[in-house]
Amino acid sequence: MRAVVLRAPGQAPDALEHPDPVPGPGQVLVEVLAAPVTPLDLLCASGTSYLGVPATPYVPGVQGVGRVEGRTVWFPTPAGTAPGDGSMAERAAVARDDLVDLPDGADPVRVAALGLSAVAASAALHRRGGLGAGERVLVLGAGGTVGQAAVQLARLAGAGTVVAAARSAGARERARAAGADAVVALDTGEVDELARRFRDAAGGDVDLVVDTLFGPAAVAACRALAPGGRLVNLGGSASPTAALESGVLRGRSLRVLGWTNLELTPAERSAGVAEVAALSARGELSVPHEAVPLADAATAWARQAAGAAAARLVLVP
């Protein structure tokens, strides 16, 4: 079969002929329909992930959408986090218990583009962030897939105001199209200025921040939080560190929280994906995405690594 193969950590993968997977006990063979290229895939493949160095060679792809036994399903894989191949291939061996049936009308590429990114956005808002109806929400990094989903999910949950902050003009336009009430340019590292922009855009202090960036934007967001406000961090694409101020945290009794989907049990993860797929099928949740032939995986990988993709890239065998 045709598959994307990573030969060594830190190298770019290639699309080439690869042996068909052989299902083990409790596994089924899935015909892959769509496999997203995600930041987690690149992080695992780099060999610098907190999850450890992957055993190579292997087929990347931590999630995908496929067909098995006449059903269209979403599925996860351990690729890059544990021994085993992933979704970036024509076929994948997947644990039967991990399959999530997709509802009628769900588009495989759209669901693959949302996938675990939308599950993380939902968890940041609800499970970790405790979003209440009418609250003011600030999304940092709102042009990315997690941020786009967070904007839409906050609106669906009844947030009073949703403010989207992003670095590029294109990202801000995507956030506005996703339903943000206001957008803020992250074109400065001046914390006081950013905090002022956040409050002005929200019409006052913010209750909940969904943060995919960290760095100065997160510091400014803490200054813009209301007493008892929460910041949920899901990533550090702007910086791995943030100089949070003790006086701000204590003076406002703020909560700074982290989230990873690895905290979810398999049942919780399946329920999250099912919810995302249902919203997608109803046309209530979507993110910009681009279908790319599996044969062009190396180019797609390079675009994702360089930050040159304005949409979630989804490989289509």
Side-chain angles (χ1 to χ4, degrees):
M1 69 171 181
R2 199 75 173 169
V4 178
V5 179
L6 183 82
R7 299 178 184 275
Q11 293 186 1
D14 295 310
L16 44 77
E17 287 299 315
H18 189 69
D20 274 29
V22 178
Q27 290 187 322
V28 292
L29 193 63
V30 176
E31 176 192 354
V32 180
L33 301 175
V37 182
T38 71
L40 179 57
D41 292 312
L42 270 70
L43 177 62
C44 291
S46 71
T48 62
S49 167
Y50 59 91
L51 298 169
V53 179
T56 52
Y58 77 98
V59 175
V62 297
Q63 59 183 309
V65 174
R67 186 177 293 115
V68 59
E69 301 170 349
R71 305 148 53 200
T72 302
V73 298
W74 176 92
F75 62 90
T77 84
T81 64
D85 287 337
S87 62
M88 297 183 188
E90 293 178 321
R91 288 172 287 281
V94 182
R96 183 183 292 276
D97 290 345
D98 286 341
L99 302 177
V100 178
D101 287 295
L102 300 188
D104 292 340
D107 178 85
V109 175
R110 287 169 59 108
V111 172
L114 287 162
L116 292 172
S117 293
V119 171
S122 179
L125 289 166
H126 300 294
R127 179 185 292 267
R128 187 64 92 231
L131 174 62
E135 287 193 314
R136 293 168 172 154
V137 177
L138 169 63
V139 180
L140 302 180
T145 301
V146 174
Q148 290 270 295
V151 168
Q152 295 169 74
L153 291 168
R155 291 243 62 93
L156 289 170
T161 303
V162 181
V163 176
R167 287 173 281 188
S168 71
R172 294 192 293 274
E173 280 305 308
R174 293 194 295 276
R176 195 184 299 277
D181 294 299
V183 298
V184 173
L186 298 178
D187 57 3
T188 178
E190 292 293 329
V191 171
D192 286 338
E193 171 62 15
L194 287 176
R196 181 193 65 78
R197 292 182 188 181
F198 295 157
R199 285 199 184 93
D200 288 350
D205 285 343
V206 174
D207 299 296
L208 175 61
V209 177
V210 176
D211 170 35
T212 69
L213 302 177
F214 221 43
V219 177
C222 284
R223 291 190 187 181
L225 276 169
R230 300 87 70 199
L231 180 146
V232 181
N233 176 260
L234 298 94
S237 62
S239 173
T241 61
L244 302 178
E245 299 150 309
S246 174
V248 173
L249 298 180
R250 291 181 293 111
R252 294 185 173 227
S253 295
L254 303 182
R255 281 166 280 172
V256 178
L257 308 159
W259 176 257
T260 169
N261 281 342
L262 294 175
E263 184 172 326
L264 295 171
T265 66
E268 290 169 338
R269 180 185 61 203
S270 294
V273 171
E275 177 188 11
V276 166
L279 291 171
S280 175
R282 295 198 297 267
E284 296 177 354
L285 181 63
S286 65
V287 293
H289 57 275
E290 177 185 342
V292 179
L294 185 66
D296 296 334
T299 301
W301 190 278
R303 288 173 60 194
Q304 177 68 43
R312 173 54 50 87
L313 303 176
V314 181
L315 301 179
V316 180

